[in-house]
Amino acid sequence: SVIVLGVAVFATSLTAIIMPLISSSLQRIVNRRDKPMNRRNHFIVIGNTSLAINTWRELTKRGRDVTRILREAPEDGELADVDVVVGDPGSIDVLDKAGAKNATAVLAMLADDSENAFVVLAVKELGGGARTVAAVNDARHLSRIKLVQPDVVIAPQVLGGELLAMLLSGEEVTSEFVMQRVFQQNNETPAKT
């Protein structure tokens, strides 16, 4: 009985020590997210809104490298082939981990306009040459978002209401008008050297 008890204690101890190591190795194999991609000249899409998801899909369809920043970790296997960084998108550490300094553009597409503004400010504080894109969900916040001077402001919800009103009123909708309203480039942004 002492021998059997000794073997049982040894096996339990061995399991307690080796299982975490095996578990983390298996998790890396199953979750390919832990394999970081080359984060240079890539796009960073922040948020899990429909605009962010569709932008990420369209960029990846075009063969562009995209890193997503999400506040919460996705379900296992949900984004298995996607480069994901989990954390506060307004944090300089999280943006640095996502490679914002070496990114082509950082797209703040969260549901909260103030968070989008903080992301733009954090990217500017971090430095680098990444362009900043801020989504605006509420027309009342458009002028405030422009104060943080993102390179591009996109306001699809604002545009949708304006286009619908124009169509119902019989006004002419031109492609120049749509492009000007969709991508409201910030003309006050200083030129990058």
Side-chain angles (χ1 to χ4, degrees):
S1 66
V2 172
I3 293 172
V4 171
L5 185 60
V7 170
V9 169
F10 177 74
T12 305
S13 301
L14 195 60
T15 304
I17 294 170
I18 293 180
M19 277 310 284
L21 297 174
I22 293 172
S23 175
S24 65
S25 296
L26 286 174
Q27 217 171 15
R28 272 192 222 110
I29 291 168
V30 173
N31 266 345
R32 292 175 57 192
R33 266 180 291 193
D34 291 343
K35 185 184 114 196
M37 70 171 215
N38 181 16
R39 292 182 177 147
R40 290 196 166 286
N41 300 322
H42 63 297
F43 292 88
I44 299 174
V45 177
I46 301 172
N48 212 16
T49 60
S50 56
L51 178 62
I53 292 167
N54 289 328
T55 303
W56 158 67
R57 282 188 185 138
E58 291 301 320
L59 285 169
T60 53
K61 273 186 198 175
R62 288 163 173 78
R64 303 305 303 255
D65 291 330
V66 181
T67 298
R68 292 191 63 193
I69 297 180
L70 300 174
R71 212 173 262 296
E72 297 175 6
E75 299 290 322
D76 286 339
E78 184 181 353
L79 298 174
D81 295 332
V82 181
D83 184 38
V84 176
V85 175
V86 178
D88 177 16
S91 164
I92 291 178
D93 293 334
V94 172
L95 288 166
D96 192 34
K97 185 177 176 183
K101 280 185 183 178
N102 301 316
T104 300
V106 178
L107 297 85
M109 299 183 161
L110 297 155
D112 186 344
D113 293 338
S114 61
E115 285 187 304
N116 291 334
F118 278 118
V119 168
V120 171
L121 291 172
V123 170
K124 289 178 183 282
E125 185 178 342
L126 190 60
R131 292 187 55 148
T132 53
V133 177
V136 179
N137 300 296
D138 189 336
R140 295 174 295 175
H141 302 153
L142 192 57
S143 60
R144 291 182 187 153
I145 292 289
K146 287 184 178 182
L147 289 175
V148 298
Q149 298 183 342
D151 294 310
V152 177
V153 176
I154 181 165
Q157 286 84 350
V158 176
L159 175 66
E162 194 171 358
L163 284 176
L164 188 57
M166 289 176 73
L167 288 171
L168 293 174
S169 300
E171 298 175 39
E172 181 183 356
V173 178
T174 64
S175 60
E176 293 96 30
F177 172 81
V178 173
M179 290 308 293
Q180 179 186 21
R181 290 290 202 246
V182 169
F183 299 107
Q184 300 186 17
Q185 298 224 359
N186 193 353
N187 296 329
E188 294 125 27
T189 303
K192 294 195 177 200
T193 54

